[in-house]
Amino acid sequence: METFVELLKTHNLKVTQQRLEILRYVESHLTHPTADEIFQSLTKKYPSLSKTTIYNTLETLTNAGIIQRLTICPTEHRYDFNHDMHHHFICKQCGKIFDIHFTCPNVETIEKDILKDGHRIEEVHGYFRGKCKDCLNKEGVKNG
Amino acid sequence: METFVELLKTHNLKVTQQRLEILRYVESHLTHPTADEIFQSLTKKYPSLSKTTIYNTLETLTNAGIIQRLTICPTEHRYDFNHDMHHHFICKQCGKIFDIHFTCPNVETIEKDILKDGHRIEEVHGYFRGKCKDCLNKEGVKNG
DNA sequence: TTTTAAGTTGTAACCATTACAATTTAACAA
DNA sequence: TTGTTAAATTGTAATGGTTACAACTTAAAA
């Protein structure tokens, strides 16, 4: 039935309309939205929704491991539903983030190395920076 | 001789006292300092140094590929001299960043995959989040 | 239904970073 | 050495994402 309700309960989080909406939004928008983008979209339907709630909820869901916070963008945080383990490519020019559905097969070896140091790993992030296909093409046209 | 002078010239950057000092600082402090930490340290010796210069220079050096900007910390940027390719582990509790001198041997396979999509890779970042050895130990003592 | 800890809301503040315009300077050429 | 100019530096003011906080509301258990 209500998957998201179950999901929240599983993580010992109170079920509220706000949390469900935010969760639904992030799960269905694979565009790595910012807090503001989520707010701008949801505020149309729920005018009483507060931006602070967006921030609080994103923090809560991140801590629970339900979503992940991307610190790839230098100016703002982006959020991503934790579907499966994957990495990211961010374009320096247009800022668009692309999912990289390929993870290092040796990540466990690295993790063992870190564990050997005594640290406890809770998140694994990989990201690549550069110029995306679209921006390269635009330049190609412009510069011959 | 003056390695940093050469380094700047190689990248077609004007050689200024400010750039040399900032470069020297980042190269010799492997603590992944913030712009403010660099400023607080250098302002003692060079009171006329402006914080804007710190930001400008870090931006310039990052674009040149001489240093790298870490966006691991959610609240502020950290900088790292580009000695060799390595990854990072950041403690969620104390915020300290540890160097991970081990990179994915299959990173080139991933890169080929990204290149196949048409994107151009300019930076590769890997980071792990969790609780560091020191923070775990402190908790261990406290909780028996 | 009552209770209460937890969640939500709006406002105000915070603070890292950037914009901008004036001043200074590195680097090149004469 | 001197003059020239584009680039770098500086200080101040503004920006904007995020957080602090206190009042209000509500989910959920008794």
Side-chain angles (χ1 to χ4, degrees), chain B residues 45-64:
Chain B
K45 207 171 166 187
Y46 306 90
S48 72
L49 182 65
S50 167
K51 207 167 199 176
T52 302
T53 300
I54 304 277
Y55 280 107
N56 289 341
T57 302
L58 291 173
E59 170 82 8
T60 302
L61 297 176
T62 299
N63 289 339

Side-chain angles (χ1 to χ4, degrees), chain A residues 72-77, chain B residues 71 77:
Chain A
I72 301 175
C73 217
T75 52
E76 60 206 350
H77 294 150
Chain B
T71 57
H77 295 151

Side-chain angles (χ1 to χ4, degrees), chain A residues 71 74 77 89 92 102 104 106 110 117-120 122-123 125-133 136, chain B residues 71 74 77 89 92 102 104 106 110 114 117-120 122-123 125-133 136:
Chain A
T71 57
H77 294 150
F89 174 89
K92 285 183 182 180
F102 189 98
C104 172
N106 291 68
I110 302 179
D117 288 340
H119 310 314
R120 186 176 71 206
E122 292 168 13
E123 297 175 28
H125 298 266
Y127 68 94
F128 301 81
R129 238 175 238 291
K131 202 170 275 190
C132 81
K133 188 186 181 177
L136 285 172
Chain B
T71 57
H77 295 151
F89 174 89
K92 284 183 181 180
F102 189 97
C104 172
N106 290 69
I110 302 179
I114 300 174
D117 289 341
H119 310 314
R120 186 175 71 204
E122 292 167 14
E123 297 175 29
H125 298 267
Y127 67 93
F128 301 82
R129 238 175 239 291
K131 203 170 273 191
C132 81
K133 188 186 181 177
L136 285 171

Side-chain angles (χ1 to χ4, degrees), chain B residues 59-116:
Chain B
E59 170 82 8
T60 302
L61 297 176
T62 299
N63 289 339
I66 298 173
I67 64 175
Q68 71 174 145
R69 175 187 284 137
L70 303 182
T71 57
I72 302 175
C73 217
T75 52
E76 61 206 349
H77 295 151
R78 295 186 162 274
Y79 293 88
D80 203 2
F81 196 88
N82 258 342
H83 286 288
D84 55 343
M85 168 68 151
H86 65 280
H87 294 324
H88 297 95
F89 174 89
I90 180 169
C91 178
K92 284 183 181 180
Q93 192 155 313
C94 67
K96 195 174 170 188
I97 297 173
F98 299 81
D99 285 336
I100 305 298
H101 289 290
F102 189 97
T103 60
C104 172
N106 290 69
V107 71
E108 283 168 23
T109 310
I110 302 179
E111 286 186 23
K112 269 183 203 154
D113 230 57
I114 300 174
L115 290 169
K116 210 160 50 189

